[in-house]
């Protein structure tokens, strides 16, 4: 437990963190990688270059400071981050290193304003928060290893099938190279893929949602080639997967992780909303619902630029066609002439509240969504305007968590 004096000091720094948080975390990562370049084998280099990781950490530090007197309020955030840490291989010995450089960055950025009392209070608070992460992650490591078909660290999987799903998305079907059993997973979870790319100094690790259903005897990931957006750095890993990895090749995988999962104890209608490659966890949820709750009302809504960018459409339409309680609806931002002639989409332009209300028809449902951050902000705002209860809104960021409000 933290002393009241420590709590008071930490809370007094909240306004400062709001202003200087990103500068602190940017300097933190600089210090960390200068002193421990080996940790570059864990972190996503592209997220570092784009500033996403720095912003996510700044948000997490700010939330911890603002809730330092009621840390249970940020427990869901802790669990979400802990899932990613476990899938990446973050261990207890990393926390003192992080603490040293985080405190050093605070001191550097704030200068004389970072008094000994403030640094001391943050050192004490960091110890408590780090202890919470270590405890949660220890249980996750144990569960991942001891569950039926589970394993520790990264396990080699063979690509048994590679299939192009759209102009930019390709699926990889993965089976254990040792021929053994594989761990079950919750629809919505992901695996980490570790790659040593020829010519690269560092190992790359990326998380990809599982787009198949549990119990299939294999894992499926559906990967978007990320160098197709002007102005953004090429997706080194996704390009390598698309161009170089072939059937028969081996990829090291972590056991499934993640807390963005379908509530299968709920019998109310469920709404699955996705944009772009954000449909991958939704397809897993849809398949699971078809197998376990075929009478439950399910509305599947997906937004894509056009038909050529729309992955897994035939698969979803087949599942929906076999289940009278299911429906699927497509929103195309810039449909092609071929799309128009075929009449394959239901709305042109952007997903909005009016379309959601017309398509879903009820607020008494569970809403799950995933996609690019601007898309997610639009969906989140629409659901709030509609009056959807906060506990019925579930979403997942691909990469570091951002802010939707």
């Amino acid at each position: 437990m933290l002393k009241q004096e420590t709590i008071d000091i930490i809370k007094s720094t909240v306004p400062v963190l709001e202003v200087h948080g990103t500068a602190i975390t940017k300097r933190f990562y600089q210090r960390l990688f200068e002193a421990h370049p080996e940790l570059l084998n864990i972190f996503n280099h592209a997220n570092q270059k784009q500033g996403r990781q720095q912003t996510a950490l700044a948000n997490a530090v700010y939330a911890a400071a603002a809730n330092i007197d009621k840390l249970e309020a940020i427990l869901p955030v802790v669990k979400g981050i802990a899932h990613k840490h476990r899938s990446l291989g973050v261990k207890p010995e990393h926390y003192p290193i992080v603490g040293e450089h985080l405190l050093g960055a605070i001191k550097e950025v704030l200068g004389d304003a970072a008094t000994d009392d403030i640094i001391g209070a943050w050192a004490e608070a960091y110890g408590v928060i780090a202890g919470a992460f270590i405890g949660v992650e220890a249980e996750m490591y144990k569960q991942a290893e001891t569950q039926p078909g589970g394993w520790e660290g990264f396990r080699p999987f063979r690509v048994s099938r590679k299939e192009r799903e759209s102009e930019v998305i390709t699926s990889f079907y993965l089976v254990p190279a040792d021929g053994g059993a594989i761990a079950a997973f919750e629809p919505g979870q992901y695996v980490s893929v570790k790659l040593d790319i020829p010519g690269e100094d560092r190992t790359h690790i990326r998380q990809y949602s599982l787009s198949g259903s549990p119990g299939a005897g294999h894992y499926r990931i559906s990967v978007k080639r990320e160098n197709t957006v002007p102005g953004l750095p090429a997706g080194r890993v996704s390009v390598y997967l698309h161009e170089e990895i072939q059937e028969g090749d081996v990829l090291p995988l972590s056991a499934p992780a993640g807390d963005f999962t379908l509530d299968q104890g709920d019998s109310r209608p469920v709404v699955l909303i996705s944009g772009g490659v954000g449909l991958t966890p939704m397809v897993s949820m849809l398949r699971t619902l078809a197998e376990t709750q075929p009478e439950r009302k399910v509305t599947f809504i997906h937004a894509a630029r056009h038909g050529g960018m729309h992955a897994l459409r035939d698969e979803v339409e087949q599942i929906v066609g076999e289940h009278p309680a299911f429906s699927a609806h497509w929103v195309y931002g810039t449909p092609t002439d071929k799309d128009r002639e075929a009449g394959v989409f239901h709305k042109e332009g952007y997903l909005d509240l009016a379309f959601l209300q017309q398509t879903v028809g009820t607020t008494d449902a569970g809403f799950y969504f995933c996609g690019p951050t601007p898309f997610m902000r639009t969906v989140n705002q629409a659901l709030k305007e509609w009056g959807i209860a906060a506990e019925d809104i579930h979403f997942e960021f691909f990469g570091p968590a951002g802010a939707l409000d």
Side-chain angles (χ1 to χ4, degrees), residues 65-80:
N67 294 278
I68 197 69
D69 54 342
K70 48 182 187 303
L71 287 176
E72 67 277 2
I74 63 170
L75 187 58
V77 176
V78 170
K79 287 184 176 179

Side-chain angles (χ1 to χ4, degrees), residues 114-350:
T115 64
D116 290 345
D117 286 344
I118 288 176
I119 295 299
W122 266 104
E124 184 182 348
Y126 177 80
V128 170
I129 295 169
F133 272 105
I134 291 169
V136 170
E137 289 162 15
E139 287 299 315
M140 290 181 177
Y141 276 109
K142 180 179 178 181
Q143 191 274 336
E145 183 179 359
T146 60
Q147 66 182 314
W151 65 93
E152 179 183 8
F154 287 84
R155 180 181 178 187
F157 276 69
R158 180 174 53 82
V159 179
S160 63
R161 179 178 164 195
K162 179 181 179 181
E163 184 169 343
R164 188 182 184 193
E165 306 287 5
S166 76
E167 293 177 8
V168 294
I169 295 175
T170 293
S171 287
F172 299 83
Y173 292 74
L174 305 165
V175 297
D178 60 14
I182 59 174
F185 65 91
E186 294 292 321
Q189 289 191 306
Y190 55 81
V191 292
S192 286
V193 178
K194 183 164 69 172
L195 285 176
D196 289 308
I197 299 176
E200 297 278 337
D201 294 334
R202 303 295 177 190
T203 296
H204 296 267
I205 303 177
R206 295 291 186 274
Q207 283 106 16
Y208 294 107
S209 293
L210 293 160
S211 60
S213 55
H218 62 260
Y219 294 144
R220 183 179 72 174
I221 57 174
S222 301
V223 179
K224 178 185 175 185
R225 181 179 172 130
E226 288 292 350
N227 68 332
T228 57
V229 180
L232 293 181
R236 187 70 185 92
V237 172
S238 65
V239 170
Y240 186 78
L241 288 170
H242 274 245
E243 295 186 353
E244 303 297 333
I245 296 299
Q246 304 299 330
E247 293 179 0
D249 289 341
V250 173
L251 298 173
L253 262 62
S254 73
D259 59 350
F260 175 65
T261 56
L262 178 68
D263 182 359
Q264 298 182 67
D266 190 352
S267 61
R268 296 178 305 154
V270 61
V271 185
L272 308 175
I273 307 170
S274 56
V277 76
L279 91 166
T280 51
M282 303 306 172
V283 173
S284 179
M285 292 182 184
L286 181 70
R287 281 195 160 278
T288 301
L289 286 161
E291 295 167 3
T292 62
Q293 295 177 293
E295 304 302 320
R296 188 174 175 184
K297 183 179 178 182
V298 179
T299 305
F300 192 106
I301 301 172
H302 180 63
R305 290 191 217 170
H306 52 73
M309 303 281 278
H310 187 171
L312 304 172
R313 183 177 67 196
D314 291 345
E315 179 176 329
V316 171
E317 289 181 342
Q318 179 180 351
I319 296 170
V320 168
E322 296 171 351
H323 296 81
F326 292 14
S327 65
H329 311 268
W330 315 131
V331 179
Y332 286 179
T334 54
T336 63
D337 290 340
K338 182 179 178 181
D339 294 332
R340 297 181 196 280
E341 292 170 5
V344 294
F345 61 95
H346 303 89
K347 184 184 188 307
E348 179 175 351
Y350 295 101

